[in-house]
Amino acid sequence: MSDQNNNTGQKGKADTDHINGNGAANSQGQSMWGGRFGGGPSAIMQEINASIGFDKRLYREDIAGSKAHSAMLAKAGIISDADRDAIHRGLDQVKAEIEAGQMEFRAELEDIHMHVESRLRELVGDAGARLHTGRSRNDQVATDFRLWTRAAIDQLDTAYVELLSAIVTNAEQYAGAVMPGFTHLQTAQPVTLGHHLMAYYEMLSRDRARLADCRKRVNENPLGAAALAGTSFPIDRHMTSEALGFDRPMANSLDAVSARDFALEFLSVLTISAVHLSRLADEIVLWATSAFRFLKLSDGFSTGSSIMPQKRNPDAAELVRAKVGRIMGAQNGLMMVMKGLPLAYSKDMQEDKEPVFKAVDDFALCLAAMTGMMQDFRPDTEAMKRAAGLGFSTATDLADWLVRVLGLPFRDAHHVTGAVVKEAENRGVDLSDLPLDAMQAVEPRITADVFNVLTVDASVSSRTSFGGTAPANVLAAAKAAKESLK
Ligand code: ARG
């Protein structure tokens, strides 16, 4: 393409002709890379090669990257200011056209990079043809993908704040609500619902921190690495880094175009995070069963059964629980794509984007659904408290009393308590309902003071150790969390 006048107004020449086409064509029928090719690619070649079906999601990032690149080329005197201005004008129009649904996506233009550039050349001619100076699709795609991932991380972070806020609001409200704490899903010791929810606050906050940490390694600029070796043009990679909000240019051009560990790490973080959401989701499923009755599912986040009119199903929670499979599948898939790839770019790496896009879509939906469920959270605190007293849940409190008041070694106290529990079990009563003389038959020095520690409320209130379940602790933790989310 040499004459700007030839570049306007002709659309679609290379649209349909796979056989006689000339490589990846622009809409003037001129190939982007077909200079040394005689015949064009077969239809199957185009089909397996094209990534436009999914990488069109990168159009914003592609255009932003091209603007930064062309601004830098002009500043460095590699293209004229007039060319830069024409390129920027053209790119704005390409963006507007894509957003208006006017861009026709075609397999023969392979990917989003060639679609944008091809249309730019139609719009602004030679200036557009100068855009690709000192650049390759290899550094271009790595740049676009990093920008996209960074934006995704930022959106997920915002979503996390909403979810964590909903969790903390409930934790504050239920700071003193007693429920059974479990180990092995057997009643262990009473805890508060607020404490249980704050456990998820901690877990999910670590996921959020992992995302932020991963963002640091995402936010490095590959642009200017060109195909793999750098370029002979006097480019300024610091300038494009700053323009695109990257922390720094990547130090090694081969690494810059080959590295996908930012995506692998991101998917790994999403996998861990999805595992955590699945645990909370599972507790919602469990708590909403008629065996537990800890929770009433809201209309907004449950469904009915087509045959059993009494049913209310926790579908949203079940699907959050399930999505981890797809997210981990995406992570595994990309690990396998990258395994054993030699430096530098290989086309295999085109398969990096779909798993990330899919995992982000799935995970964002999980966060939104979990936020909704937490906002609609309606526990039955009475049922929880009743259940908290079952299973001799204050047995440890009795053992601790024997240590504290009678000075028994803990192991002996454990043994005495076991015998007391056995007696309560024989009589079919809770520990707090066992008569004093029955306890004294096991250990004569036990006094009526012991009843002060055998209720579930006394049990949780006594657990004031740092990080313990005492309502005062939980309230303070929830308040501090609320502050930090502001
Ligand atoms: N669509 C390609 C990808 O996603 C862009 C890079 C193409 N580079 C190349 N040398 N063919 O990876």
Side-chain angles (χ1 to χ4, degrees), residues 51 55 111 113 137-138 141 345 347 349-350 353:
S51 54
D55 68 16
D111 55 27
H113 323 296
R137 275 189 294 157
N138 296 348
V141 70
Y345 177 84
K347 195 63 175 247
M349 289 156 70
Q350 178 165 283
K353 286 168 280 296

Side-chain angles (χ1 to χ4, degrees), residues 53-365:
F54 49 87
D55 68 16
K56 58 188 172 202
R57 278 181 83 161
L58 296 175
Y59 78 92
R60 269 190 227 96
E61 291 74 19
D62 197 67
I63 287 169
S66 288
K67 280 189 163 181
H69 182 66
S70 51
M72 180 278 293
L73 291 178
K75 180 96 186 294
I78 300 165
I79 63 171
S80 69
D81 287 357
D83 280 345
R84 173 202 58 206
D85 294 344
I87 289 169
H88 284 209
R89 212 181 331 109
L91 288 171
D92 285 339
Q93 181 165 341
V94 175
K95 188 171 176 200
E97 286 177 4
I98 292 175
E99 286 174 350
Q102 289 161 359
M103 170 78 82
E104 190 198 334
F105 295 110
R106 296 173 302 140
E108 62 265 36
L109 281 176
E110 285 186 38
D111 55 27
I112 188 62
H113 323 296
M114 303 229 282
H115 276 79
V116 171
E117 193 185 326
S118 163
R119 181 66 184 133
L120 178 70
R121 286 164 70 180
E122 284 178 356
L123 291 169
V124 306
D126 268 359
R130 294 206 169 90
L131 169 62
H132 213 52
T133 314
R135 183 179 81 167
S136 152
R137 275 189 294 157
N138 296 348
D139 59 340
Q140 195 179 351
V141 70
T143 304
D144 294 1
F145 195 24
R146 282 173 184 268
L147 289 173
W148 191 93
T149 303
R150 185 181 73 189
I153 288 174
D154 292 345
Q155 276 171 21
L156 293 177
D157 188 68
T158 304
Y160 257 118
V161 172
E162 265 193 66
L163 171 55
L164 290 168
S165 300
I167 289 175
V168 164
T169 300
N170 286 313
E172 207 174 3
Q173 182 174 350
Y174 300 112
V178 181
M179 65 174 279
F182 302 96
T183 61
H184 314 265
L185 203 52
Q186 301 287 317
T187 302
Q189 293 173 352
V191 295
T192 65
L193 175 55
H195 197 52
H196 195 105
L197 291 170
M198 284 305 288
Y200 283 103
Y201 170 83
E202 292 293 328
M203 202 189 288
L204 272 47
S205 295
R206 286 194 296 276
D207 295 333
R208 198 180 158 213
R210 264 185 283 272
L211 267 184
D213 197 58
C214 162
R215 190 188 191 281
K216 294 180 199 160
R217 283 169 292 281
V218 170
N219 202 33
E220 296 189 335
N221 185 17
L223 193 61
L228 75 165
T231 172
S232 57
F233 290 100
I235 60 169
D236 181 352
R237 296 189 59 209
H238 292 279
M239 181 177 165
T240 56
S241 297
E242 199 177 312
L244 294 169
F246 283 118
D247 293 330
R248 64 189 72 81
M250 291 182 76
N252 180 296
S253 63
L254 288 166
D255 178 48
V257 294
S258 307
R260 291 296 182 273
D261 53 279
F262 74 90
L264 293 174
E265 182 179 0
F266 179 46
L267 289 175
S268 304
V269 170
L270 290 188
T271 301
I272 295 173
S273 307
V275 166
H276 288 166
L277 290 187
S278 82
R279 297 181 72 174
L280 179 54
D282 183 72
E283 301 221 74
I284 291 172
V285 172
L286 204 61
W287 291 357
T289 59
S290 45
F292 269 80
R293 289 181 193 279
F294 284 6
L295 203 59
K296 189 165 179 299
L297 295 167
S298 72
D299 289 354
F301 287 92
S302 58
T303 60
S305 157
S306 53
I307 179 168
M308 297 166 284
Q310 86 285 7
K311 286 284 290 284
R312 182 183 278 278
N313 292 327
D315 297 41
E318 291 171 275
L319 287 164
V320 170
R321 189 173 61 182
K323 291 275 188 232
V324 63
R326 295 159 57 114
I327 293 168
M328 188 171 174
Q331 188 247 12
N332 268 315
L334 186 55
M335 287 280 184
M336 287 307 100
V337 167
M338 296 309 297
K339 180 196 170 292
L341 281 191
L343 301 186
Y345 177 84
S346 299
K347 195 63 175 247
D348 308 51
M349 289 156 70
Q350 178 165 283
E351 303 271 307
D352 59 357
K353 286 168 280 296
E354 275 179 298
V356 172
F357 292 162
K358 284 195 173 136
V360 168
D361 291 345
D362 282 334
F363 189 72
L365 194 54

Side-chain angles (χ1 to χ4, degrees), residues 12-23 25 40-41 46 108:
K13 261 194 188 167
D15 270 1
T16 51
D17 190 351
H18 302 308
I19 310 301
N20 300 316
N22 190 16
Q46 279 190 353
E108 62 265 36

